[in-house]
């Protein structure tokens, strides 16, 4: 782990030499800042959605750490992208059919060592899937959280945890996103002050209508869309309706630069030390 951390620090220093210093206090909705969202943590360098990945993301100066949420059989919120545990653990099956104790018995890092031997670390062999509570306990108000509800039904539990850790009324500390508009609408009713982002995954380039944007503006502060499927006109139209646009998942220097130049307000990236050239 020490070697990976040193490598990561070197990368940060190399990148920051040619970039402006960005504050860790990001936007509530639309601002002039271009934000960097650590996609599943610093997932290019450590097993996604584990504390080592989040540690490196915080170290990189990312504006937000992204947390995908699944709910266990006994109603606990965990950081996990897939509905199944198969890809990133030594277990199998749906997380929603397993208790937290069963989830905690799984090992969530060896797959990374096998897939990326050049970044392998024996410490990853003992990492677990963290709960949202554990993440909040670790970072508290020192980090900003970009949270995705992967399915409806977890909104009350999520809001209660945010309230417990005093994150609801701390303006920029939390953004919540989802592909499920009903989940976002429920959160808006529970806590209208939290900025919400409606996710879209497009299969081809699209145009937004004014009617769609007016409907979105009733509950959302922004749009999340896949990079390469939206253009400058799409983003400008969203901005005219007061909606930010964050693009996923953008990993190369060239693509991050392009996202910045077409007017995006931020990107999700596996390499959270990267920044665009802002001239």
């Amino acid at each position: 782990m020490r070697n990976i951390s040193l490598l990561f620090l070197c990368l940060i220093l190399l990148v920051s030499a040619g970039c402006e210093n960005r504050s860790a206090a990001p936007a509530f909705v639309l601002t002039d800042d271009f934000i960097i969202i650590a996609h599943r943590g610093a997932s290019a360098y450590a097993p996604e959605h584990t504390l080592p990945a989040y540690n490196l993301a915080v170290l990189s100066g990312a504006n937000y750490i992204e947390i995908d949420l699944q709910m266990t059989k006994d109603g606990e919120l965990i950081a996990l992208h897939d509905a199944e545990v198969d890809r990133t653990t030594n277990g199998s099956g749906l997380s929603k059919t397993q208790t937290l104790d069963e989830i905690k018995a799984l090992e969530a890092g060896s797959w990374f060592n096998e897939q990326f031997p050049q970044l392998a670390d024996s410490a990853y062999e003992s990492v677990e899937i963290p709960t949202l509570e554990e993440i909040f306990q670790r970072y508290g108000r020192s980090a900003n959280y970009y949270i995705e509800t992967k399915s409806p039904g977890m909104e009350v539990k999520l809001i209660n945890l945010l309230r417990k850790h005093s994150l609801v009324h701390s303006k920029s500390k939390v953004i919540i996103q989802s592909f499920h508009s009903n989940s976002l609408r429920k959160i808006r009713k529970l806590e209208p002050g939290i900025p919400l982002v409606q996710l879209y995954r497009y299969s081809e380039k699209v145009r937004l209508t004014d009617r769609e944007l007016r409907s979105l503006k009733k509950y959302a502060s922004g749009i999340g869309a896949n990079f390469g499927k939206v253009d400058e006109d799409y983003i400008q139209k969203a901005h005219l309706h007061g909606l930010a646009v964050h693009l996923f998942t953008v990993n190369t220097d060239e693509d991050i630069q392009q996202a910045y130049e077409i007017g995006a307000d931020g990107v999700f990236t596996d390499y959270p030390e990267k920044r665009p050239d802002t001239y």
Side-chain angles (χ1 to χ4, degrees), residues 56-277:
L56 291 175
V58 171
L59 183 65
S60 77
N63 298 104
Y64 287 89
I65 55 174
E66 186 208 21
I67 306 168
D68 293 311
L69 289 185
Q70 301 285 355
M71 181 175 272
T72 65
K73 182 179 181 180
D74 47 349
E76 297 297 325
L77 296 181
I78 58 173
L80 183 69
H81 178 269
D82 301 358
E84 302 85 7
V85 300
D86 303 54
R87 182 175 62 84
T88 56
T89 78
N90 60 341
S92 63
L94 296 167
S95 59
K96 69 179 182 181
T97 65
Q98 302 179 53
T99 66
L100 181 59
D101 285 344
E102 290 171 324
I103 292 291
K104 282 296 186 180
L106 302 177
E107 182 269 295
S110 289
W111 70 272
F112 183 88
N113 288 347
E114 294 167 5
Q115 191 168 342
F116 304 101
Q118 72 278 17
L119 297 173
D121 192 315
S122 59
Y124 296 158
E125 296 172 8
S126 60
V127 297
E128 303 174 348
I129 295 174
T131 65
L132 184 61
E133 176 99 65
E134 288 169 337
I135 296 168
F136 288 164
Q137 288 172 343
R138 171 67 67 94
Y139 305 107
R141 290 165 56 84
S142 67
N144 301 308
Y145 307 97
Y146 207 122
I147 299 169
E148 180 178 348
T149 58
K150 299 298 286 185
S151 60
M154 59 181 65
E155 297 81 13
V156 172
K157 179 75 173 183
L158 170 56
I159 293 301
N160 285 342
L161 280 174
L162 291 171
R163 289 169 176 164
K164 178 180 177 180
H165 291 273
S166 302
L167 292 167
V168 168
H169 299 295
S170 51
K171 207 168 185 181
S172 299
K173 286 294 177 185
V174 177
I175 292 174
I176 299 176
Q177 64 177 345
S178 186
F179 285 99
H180 304 277
S181 61
N182 54 338
S183 181
L184 295 178
R185 291 175 188 275
K186 184 171 183 179
I187 290 168
R188 183 166 178 80
K189 289 180 180 178
L190 291 167
E191 281 292 349
I194 297 175
L196 307 175
V197 170
Q198 178 65 59
L199 287 170
Y200 294 102
R201 185 180 294 278
Y202 299 116
S203 58
E204 57 186 11
K205 289 195 174 181
V206 293
R207 294 286 184 270
L208 286 171
T209 68
D210 288 325
R211 182 177 179 180
E212 288 174 312
L213 289 163
R214 285 193 298 269
S215 178
L216 272 175
K217 189 60 181 172
K218 291 177 181 178
Y219 65 92
S221 297
I223 296 168
N226 41 328
F227 176 76
K229 301 302 180 184
V230 304
D231 58 17
E232 190 170 359
D233 289 340
Y234 178 107
I235 293 170
Q236 286 179 350
K237 196 163 189 178
H239 286 173
L240 286 173
H241 287 262
L243 294 163
V245 178
H246 300 150
L247 301 179
F248 62 88
T249 301
V250 192
N251 283 331
T252 69
D253 292 319
E254 294 78 11
D255 286 348
I256 290 173
Q257 187 65 32
Q258 183 182 348
Y260 175 79
E261 290 179 1
I262 65 174
D265 302 284
V267 292
F268 295 83
T269 179
D270 300 338
Y271 299 86
E273 79 284 359
K274 292 186 177 183
R275 303 291 186 275
D277 181 0

